[in-house]
Structures are given as structure tokens and as C-alpha cells.
Amino acid sequence: MRNFLVLIVIVFTIISCDSNRVYDEYQSMEDNTWLQSDIITFDFSISDTISKNNIFINLRNNKDYEFSNLFMITKMDFPNGTKIIDTLEYEMTDKLGNFLGSGYTDIKQNKLFYKENVQFLEKGNYRFQIEQAMRKNGNIQGLDSLKGITDIGLRIELTTE
């Protein structure tokens, strides 16, 4: 009985630590490589049209990532058919070439702001898509593969205003 109570307390503590989470999912990249043809898709449902939210793109990379930045194209589809498409650039290293993000191992976790204080105005099902848009110098075509990306995620959380 005592072990059961300890387990309940641990589970409750873990759940309550992330009370701002609305949505949080990751997709792993096969062979730690993000192919140009890979469009990462997240489907989520929104029922709260009053609260404001922050939206993050979460990214994990390892030491095999070759670039100091990352270009992505995102698309969000709303329940009413509206679409928002953005081209984004994020810094992945500091000026000395050290990877940004958290983590003490070869894997770095990056929580990249996408949108702040978003109020979803309608209930329903949303779709968020991400594709990599990296190019090598002098090459108009995109990279076929982007090595060193291990996981890509989407997180939506309530603002703490």
C-alpha cells in the first residue's frame, strides 16, 4: 500500500509540473537525418478559444549537424480552411561554433519560439507542417538530406501572464 501511495504522488508531481502544456509531440528522424522530402506533420485539436498560447518548434540535434543555422518552412491549417505559411531561420550555434540549446551530451535540445500570445479563435482540428529548407552556398536546389537532426517537435503551452 505504501509503494502504491508513493507511485501516486510521483505521477501527480510529474503531471502537475507541466500544467501549461496544451500539446507536446515529437517525431524522430530515421538515421538522424531530415530528408528534403520529409514533411513533418502534427495534428492537434483546440477547444479553448479564450486563453493565449505560445507555440514552439522543438528540435534535437547531435554533433553531426553541419550548419550554424536552420531554415524551415512551416504551414498551419485552421479548421475554417485558412492557411498560414512562414519561412523561418534559427541560429543553431554561437559565434564560436558551439551548439546552442540545452543538454550535456552530444544531443542538444532547442525550444524555438514560433508564435507568442496566440489566441486560437475557433475550436476544431488544426494541422501544423514543417519542412527543412536548407541550401548550400551557390546551390539553388535544397539539400537532399540534413544530417544531425534527431527529433522534431511541436509544443503549445498556455502563456503565464
Side-chain angles (χ1 to χ4, degrees):
M1 183 66 172
R2 184 175 179 204
N3 289 339
F4 179 72
L5 290 175
V6 170
L7 180 63
I8 295 290
V9 169
I10 290 172
V11 168
F12 180 74
T13 302
I14 290 170
I15 291 171
S16 65
C17 287
D18 201 10
S19 61
N20 290 341
R21 180 186 63 201
V22 174
Y23 179 84
D24 194 8
E25 293 293 328
Y26 279 89
Q27 292 186 25
S28 296
M29 300 292 96
E30 189 173 328
D31 297 323
N32 298 330
T33 302
W34 191 358
L35 300 177
Q36 185 180 29
S37 59
D38 289 342
I39 298 175
I40 312 306
T41 301
F42 299 97
D43 293 310
F44 58 95
S45 181
I46 294 294
S47 58
D48 180 350
T49 59
I50 297 171
S51 300
K52 291 188 178 181
N53 304 271
N54 291 329
I55 305 174
F56 300 92
I57 296 171
N58 290 332
L59 187 92
R60 293 183 186 126
N61 67 285
N62 64 28
K63 62 182 174 35
D64 295 331
Y65 190 74
E66 303 176 63
F67 304 97
S68 63
N69 63 349
L70 174 63
F71 283 93
M72 295 180 276
I73 297 171
T74 62
K75 181 172 94 171
M76 187 180 300
D77 295 326
F78 291 74
N80 67 2
T82 300
K83 297 177 188 316
I84 295 177
I85 299 173
D86 290 304
T87 301
L88 309 169
E89 179 185 13
Y90 293 103
E91 294 297 320
M92 299 297 289
T93 65
D94 63 17
K95 291 180 182 182
L96 299 175
N98 300 311
F99 284 115
L100 301 173
S102 60
Y104 296 105
T105 65
D106 285 341
I107 305 251
K108 295 298 178 191
Q109 167 79 28
N110 296 277
K111 188 176 181 180
L112 310 170
F113 258 110
Y114 171 62
K115 302 268 186 201
E116 293 182 75
N117 295 314
V118 172
Q119 185 176 1
F120 292 100
L121 299 178
E122 59 183 300
K123 295 179 182 183
N125 297 320
Y126 290 75
R127 173 169 279 180
F128 187 79
Q129 296 180 311
I130 310 170
E131 59 185 290
Q132 62 101 338
M134 292 295 289
R135 310 277 186 267
K136 278 201 172 178
N137 288 340
N139 185 355
I140 196 166
Q141 293 182 334
L143 291 175
D144 291 336
S145 62
L146 195 55
K147 294 180 181 177
I149 302 295
T150 63
D151 303 278
I152 300 167
L154 178 69
R155 180 175 173 90
I156 303 170
E157 59 185 45
L158 296 172
T159 60
T160 54
E161 294 180 49

